[in-house]
Amino acid sequence: MTAMTPEEAVRHVVATDPTFAVEEVEIRGVTFKAFRNIPGTVPALMAASRAKQGDGALDYLSYEGESLTFDEFRGHAHRIAHALRDDLGVRQGDRVAIAMRNYPELLTAIMAISSLGATVVFLNAWWTTEELDYALRDSGARIVFADRPRIDRLSPLKDGLGLTLIGCRDGEGQGDHDYRALYDAAASDAPPDVAIDTDDDFAVMYSSGTTGHPKGVVQTHRGAVNAVFSWLMQSVVAPLVTPPEPDAPEPPRPSVLVVTPLFHVTATHPVFLLSMPAGAKVTLMYRWDAAEAVRLIRDGNITRFLGVPTQSAELSEAARRMGETLPSLDYIGAGGAKRPAAQVAAIAETFPDAGVATGWGMTETQALGIGMIGDDYKARPDCAGKLHPPVQELRFLDDAGKDVPPGTLGEITVKSPANMRCYLNMPEATAETMQDGWLRTGDLGVIDEDGYVTILDRKKNIIIRGGENIACLDVEGALHRLPQVAEACAFSVPDERLGEIVGAVVQLRPDTSLTRDEMARALEGHLASFKIPALLWCQQEPLTRGATDKIDRRALRAACLKQMEETA
């Protein structure tokens, strides 16, 4: 077989494979490109995936020695759906919340709720009672699936909000109903008979919200399934771009390890939802532990790993420590944040059989966006990759909303059916972000003539030093080159002469030290002199993180500035 370029392969697949045929559709008065022949809803996606899962007979969901076949998983979801409708009165359009760690019940609850045409409300399992109170008031959800720690936090809200709590795992016996009792008493394990429109709401998922309350991102069924098939298409395109050897064995069944919270889009969409039509097995971890992840991947022949950058770095370190190369891994991706460029080659060296990948997406795009893998990524470790075809469109805009040419800094702006419907109860924020189907992401970057996108920063994370714009990610990427630095965060520091100067806080690796002068000397040649931090704070403990496990830049900046003022 003659190798095709990626662009040729995409055109070939769209033209010849009916699964990935594309058409123009009108959604809320705006014309989009969308897949023509895919399932219209998330429950339909589950039903259509049965053939890919060995006609339902293959082991599908694994957790701590427990296992469900795909048909058993579907049966669980359908039984809980009937219980929600018959016993608790849940109807189409209602919102039902989930608040728990990554248990199997979280996945069956997602499918049970959506099978009724109700909307899944994902509650962050790390939230406090006050934060849970906001999201429940905002969403109007009154039924919550929860484990024991979340029930403890929800209990003070129960009477005031009229909550019905369904206890799961260690939460059984603590709420109004037990998951197992609802399952046992359900009338049927057949799919509920509900007519769900493809543009109905599938989920409300809360964004990180670095200021004020988080925004409830309303996602539709059409958006979720179009995102899933955009990723699925990559597995069809890949062998056309890099044809296998004639005598190459059949690739193993895909198998994914879920290591990030399922209340975030990185785990729900490109891992869980994609697993169904990909014919993949899903393994859940009780909590993140790098050495345990190495053992699970090795013993379970897991092929796919997608986590935040710190997790892939920790996995790599643990594997080296344990003398493991994990040959079953063919994909090791990073989402949620940019992986430091210095880590790319090291991870590729540790896992020689895996394609090291990066991706950019948002809760607002149902995780669909930009990415690349393998040699492309190793050659461009600072880059985010190319736009995932074929239903997305991409523009780079200036502050006035005008397109900028390739190579010029602009705001990444995307259009696809995967884009959110709105921010819940926030019409002004929705209007600011969504314009004629185009989503203003707030991320700044450049695109080159070949279509590779480099993300330089969030729009609000630019340091302006004497008129020069400095991207925080640029500074952080350089700091990650230093052997003493485990994590880094850059931010602006007020300066009377220049307006702002660069400050940074770093977590040091064990038994190391770093002064500001040592840092400055080490960065010479890697950063322009005006970008090198003028002020440096060092600490041994991990950097402060927000609700989505991303570094909390604002909190770190405030703490460092306060320390500076107290010292002065």
Side-chain angles (χ1 to χ4, degrees), residues 168-376:
C168 301
R169 295 281 163 164
D170 55 359
E172 295 212 345
Q174 308 301 315
D176 301 284
H177 300 274
D178 289 344
Y179 178 96
R180 178 55 58 178
L182 289 175
Y183 172 85
D184 289 340
S188 172
D189 60 3
D193 185 12
V194 182
I196 307 170
D197 188 83
T198 187
D199 290 314
D200 284 349
D201 294 344
F202 158 59
V204 176
M205 188 173 280
Y206 283 87
S207 65
S208 54
T210 52
T211 59
H213 290 299
K215 300 184 181 76
V217 177
V218 180
Q219 304 168 340
T220 67
H221 287 269
R222 189 201 297 265
V225 181
N226 269 269
V228 165
F229 275 79
S230 295
W231 297 311
L232 190 64
M233 183 172 162
Q234 294 176 43
S235 64
V236 179
V237 167
L240 300 177
V241 175
T242 308
E245 296 296 327
D247 56 349
E250 284 290 316
R253 180 192 178 196
S255 181
V256 300
L257 182 64
V258 180
V259 298
T260 59
L262 282 158
F263 49 78
H264 289 320
V265 72
T266 300
T268 51
H269 291 57
V271 179
F272 166 51
L273 294 181
L274 175 60
S275 73
M276 292 189 282
K281 180 181 178 181
V282 175
T283 299
L284 304 180
M285 294 187 73
Y286 176 73
R287 65 163 59 93
W288 169 247
D289 178 276
E292 177 63 12
V294 170
R295 288 188 284 270
L296 286 170
I297 293 168
R298 179 195 64 202
D299 298 342
N301 293 316
I302 286 169
T303 65
R304 183 178 174 87
F305 179 96
L306 175 60
V308 296
T310 52
Q311 288 175 315
S312 55
E314 290 170 3
L315 182 77
S316 179
E317 291 176 5
R320 284 197 297 270
R321 215 168 39 242
M322 297 165 70
E324 299 286 352
T325 60
L326 304 182
S328 67
L329 267 186
D330 61 26
Y331 176 94
I332 179 164
K338 183 180 184 295
R339 180 189 278 126
Q343 294 179 1
V344 178
I347 293 171
E349 183 179 351
T350 304
F351 305 117
D353 299 300
V356 182
T358 187
W360 169 93
M362 303 175 69
T363 308
E364 288 86 342
T365 67
Q366 306 211 49
L368 185 60
I370 295 164
M372 62 179 172
I373 188 171
D375 292 340
D376 262 5

Side-chain angles (χ1 to χ4, degrees), residues 395-416:
R395 299 167 69 190
F396 285 77
L397 304 180
D398 62 18
D399 288 339
K402 297 185 182 299
D403 291 276
V404 299
T408 303
L409 187 71
E411 182 178 2
I412 298 171
T413 306
V414 293
K415 180 181 179 183
S416 89

Side-chain angles (χ1 to χ4, degrees), residues 513-537:
S513 62
L514 183 66
T515 67
R516 193 271 162 192
D517 289 343
E518 290 170 342
M519 175 268 300
R521 286 194 296 270
L523 293 184
E524 287 178 3
H526 297 292
L527 273 184
S529 59
F530 68 87
K531 296 182 180 180
I532 293 176
L535 297 165
L536 179 70
W537 288 262

Side-chain angles (χ1 to χ4, degrees), residues 120-143:
V120 184
V121 177
F122 291 90
L123 299 178
N124 191 310
W126 298 329
W127 276 346
T128 63
T129 296
E130 182 178 335
E131 291 166 322
L132 291 166
D133 182 48
Y134 168 78
L136 288 168
R137 290 180 186 276
D138 183 56
S139 67
R142 293 295 174 261
I143 297 174

